Amino acid sequence: MTADPFRILRIEDMLVLRVEVVNLRRAGARLVREDPASPAVVLLHPPSQHISEGVPADGQFPETVPAFAAAPSTLAFLLPEGQDGIDLTVAALLDWNSLNSTIVPFDLGRDDPNVPNLFGGIPRTAIEFPTRLLLGHDDPVIAWSAPLAEPVALDGRTELWHAELHGENGGPAGLKAFAALRDRPARTGMPLSADALDQLVALTSDSDFVGPDGFPLRRSLHAEQFMLTALGASVRINGAWDLPAGFPAADLTQYEHVASLGREQFVQTIGQGYLSTGHRASLVSVTRRLYDDPGDGSSVAYLHTESHIRIDQAEVGYGEGAGYDEHAGRQLPFRSIELTDHVTPTIDDAGGRGAFWVKVGGAPFQFHAVATDAEGRHVGFTLPLVFAWTTTLGDVPSAYGEPDAADLPTVDLSGQTVALAQAPADAPGTTSMPVGSMRLEPVAASGHPATLLPAMTQASARVPAVERLTGRFTESVVHLHDAYLEQGFEGQPTEAFLNLAEALPVSLSPRQAGGLAAPSSTVQAVTTRAGLLAPQFLDEAGAAAGVDTDTLKQIFGGTKLLGPIDLAALLAPVEAVSVAELKSLGEAEIRKRLDGGPADLLPVPLMRVADLADGSELRYVWKPKLTNTLPLLDLENASLVLEATTVRSPDALTKSTVRGELRSFAFDFLGIVRVDFDRLTFSARPGAKPEVTAAGVGITFMNDLEFVNELRNALPADVFGTGASVDVTTAGVVAGYGLTLPSLGLGMFNLSNVALSAKLTIPFDNAPTRFRFAVSERHNPFNVSVGMFGGGGFFALEVSTHGIEQVEGSLEFGGNASLDLGVASGGVHVMAGIAFQLTGTSVTLTGYLRCGGYLSVLGIVTISVEFYLALTYHKGDGVCEVVGQGSVTVSVRVAFFSKSVSLALERRFAGSAGDPAFADCVEPEDWDDYCLAFAA
């Protein structure tokens, strides 16, 4: 019968051992095998070898510290084969070198999950150190050296019982951790976390724990000292593991533990991980026992933990091949980031095993970094970072999503110039700009050991094209363009690389864009070839996109031509090929198209920025394809060219050279007047007033005004040639020509004092462009004579891009005849006139007749009669009206007596627009009765 458990108790050296046996029975003073063919095991259970103390969270010694004792350990020894028993004495039971110490095998599993040290039916040595971790020796050859048999006393003092484990030839012993106990309440604030204990088991005992290359990663713990005592173990053990970069199953690379009599003196763990920039780093955690004097003459000892982040990889490269899952690394402008810090100060407690922001003193630690952009430019800055162990890299996005971390990813670059994209080889510097801040957030990079790498999600930058366009040196929020992210510049017609976070309204005044048109659109894409571009010209993949007329109205809805004309309504659709060719357009080709005919077009406006030796240049060129859809304008063969260059010098001076030209167009005003232009040009240069020239101007009067065409022969062929007068004011440009003609004979008519004038007004605001033609003026009419009759008049026509604004004219004539017969004399006179005026929709026509006569007999009797009749027709505001006025005056004078009688009459006649409608004359009830009567 197997012997019952018993204890060895020795007061002198405090030896306490609980003894159990397997397959041994008591036979007098010996323990002998029961079954000679089965293993016989002696199990010795020393008391707890470790006290686990909590680490004060604030680093100060509190009044109480939680502490937990480890369970008793187990030393399992096999009787050698052939040995039938063992003496039942303290000396024999403590002579461990004559027995075979058991070792946990690698090729067997546990017999019972609830018994962690039972393998193959045999209990194995299990020393619980530290608390909740079971250790066994890993070397088959070990030795125990200790004063085991009898207590050792010297000078009246007895040495504490102890037993020390050695390896082969007295060297360090190899240990392995084969179980981490989880059947106890969870504890926090301990020097070793539960996760660290699990990793020690895997790293020292799991033979299947291999790296990506199949090479085993298991390494034993080295015990420079491993001594069991009656009051706890005194140990000095360490372990180191060369884990592959980014190894997901474990992150513990170094472990060192020093303890005296079961109490920690020093514990260090180094966990391998990564910072959120992809830099390989380690979390070094060191726990030491500190001694303090509370001031009452006593001394207290407590544990204190300090942690640091150690930078193991100073520089990380990015871009293509770095391991990004998408976009070949284009989502980060930097090609490398170097961290100049080798190790951080003491960091705050991470508070767990998840990813965490590295903080020092409650504030995020600012790592010093030097980045290199795509053009080799070095950019220095500081930034807070997240650290994660290789086993918790998946928690990094959660750390960035913490509410109090919203602003941490934004890095202050203080206006340093950064190339936000790899510039084309033939356009260096086109992607570089001063950047105030940049937001860096992690994105998936499964090809990199860190599994996550930084990407620029947005930046605040001074975009040169925006500054030159708006004249305001402010930062714009930008994102990398989707087309650039997806395919870089390959196949991109405009090489777009940035998108403005908010679309930028573009509104150039006529002074800036050529006088004839004021371009107004919305731009959002920042490109290397076309400057700022409306996003509609590119599809989601960045390929050239055709744009229909409805979309063009969205882009250029505010663009005006010749004042208020909506240019968007005149634009023809833009084909995708016109956008695709932007990439190949050089300066020579652009100039050729601008100077060419209507078929040579630039349908997509180019807005390019270039750095000069003494400043910067903004160039805007556009030659859209026009449609002939407005009744007012004939644009069948027309072409519009806008070209503007604005240069800004370092001293903030701005100089603009602009040219606008509209060719081969005509105004057609309701079929009454047509004004043809071969070329209308606006140009302005620095230091000179704007110049307006119009070539090939022809005026044709049609329909009811065809008779005026006879006057065209007196007009110069080029009304607005080099001799034209130009007046430039803050309101606009007025160009005109005036000519006084000699007397003309037109059939039976004779004209004199005829003055011809023409004036073209191009305003700088949204007022319409106006053209006025006049034959004499109201205040200075021409003279006309027909036989014995004479008179005068004038004619004026004013048109604008709104249509006919005013047509007015008048003609007056009359005659006077007298007769003297001596006895009687008399005379008659007749005067008549007609005047008309068309202003907008208001028409006024006036005609009058005045006639009279007198008769005198011998100067005694005189009779005179005066007759006046006037008719005025007025139409305006939907009302037509005719006003008639008449008067007859008769005067009689006989000698000294005279009498005059005058009769006057005025009548008004309203037209149809003023008559009541049928609905105004019939009540609804009467209409219902009427309809019902017929329905019956």
Side-chain angles (χ1 to χ4, degrees), residues 343-696:
V343 64
T344 69
T346 301
I347 66 173
D348 298 350
D349 181 20
R353 284 285 300 174
F356 63 92
W357 288 95
V358 180
K359 295 183 178 181
V360 174
F365 178 71
Q366 299 292 329
F367 289 84
H368 291 80
V370 177
T372 303
D373 69 4
E375 295 188 340
R377 189 180 292 107
H378 297 302
V379 182
F381 53 90
T382 63
L383 74 167
L385 294 174
V386 167
F387 174 83
W389 290 272
T390 55
T391 55
T392 61
L393 289 171
D395 296 335
V396 172
S398 298
Y400 273 81
E402 295 173 357
D404 58 350
D407 297 330
L408 295 183
T410 301
V411 178
D412 182 12
L413 297 183
S414 301
Q416 298 179 81
T417 299
V418 180
L420 295 180
Q422 178 67 57
D426 58 345
T430 55
T431 63
S432 300
M433 59 194 66
V435 178
S437 63
M438 182 183 296
R439 188 173 181 87
L440 301 177
E441 297 186 45
V443 296
S446 57
H448 190 274
T451 71
L452 295 167
L453 288 175
M456 186 189 84
T457 56
Q458 74 174 39
S460 180
R462 287 176 48 184
V463 183
V466 174
E467 291 186 347
R468 305 305 182 265
L469 181 63
T470 62
R472 298 189 300 270
F473 293 87
T474 58
E475 294 179 351
S476 302
V477 178
V478 297
H479 310 274
L480 290 172
H481 198 282
D482 290 342
Y484 172 74
L485 292 175
E486 291 295 334
Q487 63 191 60
F489 290 144
E490 186 66 29
Q492 267 206 76
T494 62
E495 295 180 347
F497 67 98
L498 286 182
N499 239 9
L500 301 177
E502 295 184 2
L504 178 66
V506 177
S507 183
L508 300 182
S509 69
R511 275 187 179 273
Q512 292 175 297
L516 301 177
S520 179
S521 62
T522 299
V523 295
Q524 195 163 17
V526 182
T527 74
T528 65
R529 299 290 178 178
L532 294 173
L533 189 67
Q536 292 89 339
F537 289 109
L538 299 174
D539 61 17
E540 294 181 356
V547 180
D548 57 24
T549 54
D550 291 337
T551 305
L552 286 173
K553 290 179 181 179
Q554 297 175 7
I555 301 174
F556 301 105
T559 302
K560 302 300 181 181
L561 174 67
L562 296 173
I565 295 178
D566 188 1
L567 180 60
L570 305 177
L571 297 177
V574 178
E575 298 179 357
V577 66
S578 298
V579 184
E581 68 182 2
L582 293 178
K583 187 172 184 178
S584 59
L585 288 181
E587 289 300 319
E589 178 63 20
I590 292 175
R591 174 51 54 195
K592 177 183 176 182
R593 296 195 181 193
L594 292 177
D595 296 338
D600 299 320
L601 301 171
L602 285 173
V604 181
L606 300 182
M607 191 179 302
R608 293 180 173 178
V609 176
D611 291 328
L612 305 177
D614 57 349
S616 60
E617 177 187 78
L618 169 67
R619 189 174 179 216
Y620 183 95
V621 292
W622 190 24
K623 189 178 181 182
K625 183 178 181 181
L626 303 176
T627 60
N628 195 35
T629 58
L630 275 186
L632 176 67
L633 281 175
D634 183 358
L635 302 173
E636 183 67 30
N637 300 309
S639 61
L640 174 66
V641 176
L642 301 178
E643 183 177 9
T645 303
T646 301
V647 176
R648 284 190 173 89
S649 59
D651 55 2
L653 292 178
T654 301
K655 298 179 180 179
S656 298
T657 301
V658 298
R659 181 176 72 94
E661 191 170 82
L662 187 59
R663 307 168 188 163
S664 302
F665 71 100
F667 289 101
D668 189 342
F669 298 104
L670 304 177
I672 299 175
V673 178
R674 178 182 175 90
V675 183
D676 289 275
F677 289 83
D678 286 344
R679 189 182 301 262
L680 181 61
T681 305
F682 176 100
S683 62
R685 300 184 305 274
K689 67 179 182 178
E691 295 181 358
V692 176
T693 59

Side-chain angles (χ1 to χ4, degrees), residues 656-745:
S656 298
T657 301
V658 298
R659 181 176 72 94
E661 191 170 82
L662 187 59
R663 307 168 188 163
S664 302
F665 71 100
F667 289 101
D668 189 342
F669 298 104
L670 304 177
I672 299 175
V673 178
R674 178 182 175 90
V675 183
D676 289 275
F677 289 83
D678 286 344
R679 189 182 301 262
L680 181 61
T681 305
F682 176 100
S683 62
R685 300 184 305 274
K689 67 179 182 178
E691 295 181 358
V692 176
T693 59
V697 179
I699 303 174
T700 304
F701 296 92
M702 300 174 290
N703 297 327
D704 294 339
L705 297 180
E706 277 188 310
F707 70 92
V708 184
N709 287 329
E710 291 294 332
L711 302 176
R712 292 177 56 208
N713 297 327
L715 287 173
D718 187 354
V719 176
F720 302 103
T722 56
S725 63
V726 178
D727 183 22
V728 181
T729 67
T730 57
V733 177
V734 178
Y737 202 102
L739 178 65
T740 300
L741 301 180
S743 298
L744 299 175

Side-chain angles (χ1 to χ4, degrees), residues 160 282 319 624-625 919:
L160 186 70
S282 296
K625 183 178 181 181

